[in-house]
Amino acid sequence: NAGVTQTPKFRILKIGQSMTLQCTQDMNHNYMYWYRQDPGMGLKLIYYSVGAGITDKGEVPNGYNVSRSTTEDFPLRLELAAPSQTSVYFCASSWGGASSGNTIYFGEGSWLTVV
Amino acid sequence: LAKTTQPISMDSYEGQEVNITCSHNNIATNDYITWYQQFPSQGPRFIIQGYKTKVTNEVASLFIPADRKSSTLSLPRVSLSDTAVYYCLVGANSGGYQKVTFGTGTKLQVIP
């Protein structure tokens, strides 16, 4: 079972460049999330989506954009990369809201370095 | 929002039972309590979930008192492979949607 798949796994960006982190899930989940995790720190929610066409900001949305045109895909766009965006990015999904007892499934992470 | 508070770190010797408590004073009536485990360089994974009283699975037990303002994750006879960060998660409703935020987690170090 594929679950949540993220690409690329590693990427080095120069300051000011843009890129898209891809995320796809094959579990027909409604909810999808993007988190970032700085070294030694906890997870911070960037954006989330509760279904195709519906997205909302999380705790740290500045410098990022998302779209959700299909149930399966939830790409994260970094515009004008900055060193502060050096982090590990995790995509995740759940069938319904986590507080209602739905398990969140995470991808393996994407390591991004901005130099 | 149901914010959670956990100890930042804990140390334990192999073979001991470890209890990690999470405070969530503002938990909503319909909220479940879920614990996740994260190993270095990996995404978090589900350990256990409960609503009230006690839940046990092959990995851990979860104790929830009647007022549900806290919960305790219990790991029996820990081994070195249990060294990880453990997150307590209580969902929160925001504008009708369930925005899911993780706290800082508890870093458990198991010592030989």
Side-chain angles (χ1 to χ4, degrees):
Chain A
N1 294 333
V4 179
T5 303
Q6 297 179 229
T7 56
K9 193 168 180 67
F10 300 98
R11 180 73 185 267
I12 298 175
L13 273 182
K14 292 184 179 180
I15 295 172
Q17 286 185 323
S18 300
M19 76 160 295
T20 299
L21 296 175
Q22 301 292 344
C23 176
T24 186
Q25 52 92 7
D26 63 357
M27 296 174 282
N28 200 31
H29 284 172
N30 295 307
Y31 283 64
M32 294 189 75
Y33 317 84
W34 274 106
Y35 292 89
R36 62 174 286 175
Q37 187 171 37
D38 298 333
M41 305 297 286
L43 295 155
K44 294 290 186 182
L45 181 65
I46 306 172
Y47 272 95
Y48 69 106
S49 169
V50 300
I54 306 171
T55 62
D56 199 4
K57 296 177 181 178
E59 304 167 272
V60 289
N62 292 341
Y64 307 94
N65 279 302
V66 294
S67 60
R68 182 95 182 271
S69 58
T70 67
T71 299
E72 295 78 19
D73 300 309
F74 191 41
L76 178 70
R77 177 81 176 165
L78 280 73
E79 305 282 2
L80 298 174
S84 61
Q85 293 179 303
T86 294
S87 190
V88 181
Y89 292 83
F90 290 101
C91 180
S93 72
S94 62
W95 187 85
S99 67
S100 300
N102 294 282
T103 301
I104 304 174
Y105 295 87
F106 284 81
E108 295 185 343
S110 296
W111 273 253
L112 176 66
T113 301
V114 182
V115 297
Chain B
L1 298 177
K3 185 175 180 179
T4 60
T5 303
Q6 307 173 229
I8 292 176
S9 63
M10 295 180 69
D11 292 336
S12 176
Y13 288 101
E14 273 191 298
Q16 289 188 329
E17 178 184 74
V18 171
N19 295 309
I20 305 174
T21 297
C22 178
S23 297
H24 29 79
N25 292 319
N26 297 322
I27 187 170
T29 303
N30 297 327
D31 279 352
Y32 279 73
I33 300 159
T34 312
W35 285 79
Y36 288 80
Q37 175 191 54
Q38 185 181 25
F39 296 115
S41 302
Q42 295 184 22
R45 67 172 190 172
F46 171 90
I47 300 178
I48 197 166
Q49 182 181 77
Y51 182 78
K52 61 181 180 181
T53 63
K54 176 184 175 181
V55 179
T56 297
N57 62 21
E58 65 278 5
V59 176
S61 293
L62 179 60
F63 299 91
I64 305 170
D67 65 6
R68 303 197 334 120
K69 293 183 182 298
S70 67
S71 59
T72 298
L73 173 72
S74 181
L75 303 172
R77 299 181 298 280
V78 294
S79 64
L80 295 177
S81 62
D82 292 316
T83 293
V85 178
Y86 293 83
Y87 293 96
C88 163
L89 187 64
V90 178
N93 288 308
S94 175
Y97 300 141
Q98 295 188 6
K99 182 180 295 188
V100 182
T101 57
F102 285 75
T104 55
T106 299
K107 185 174 183 179
L108 172 65
Q109 181 68 51
V110 180
I111 305 166

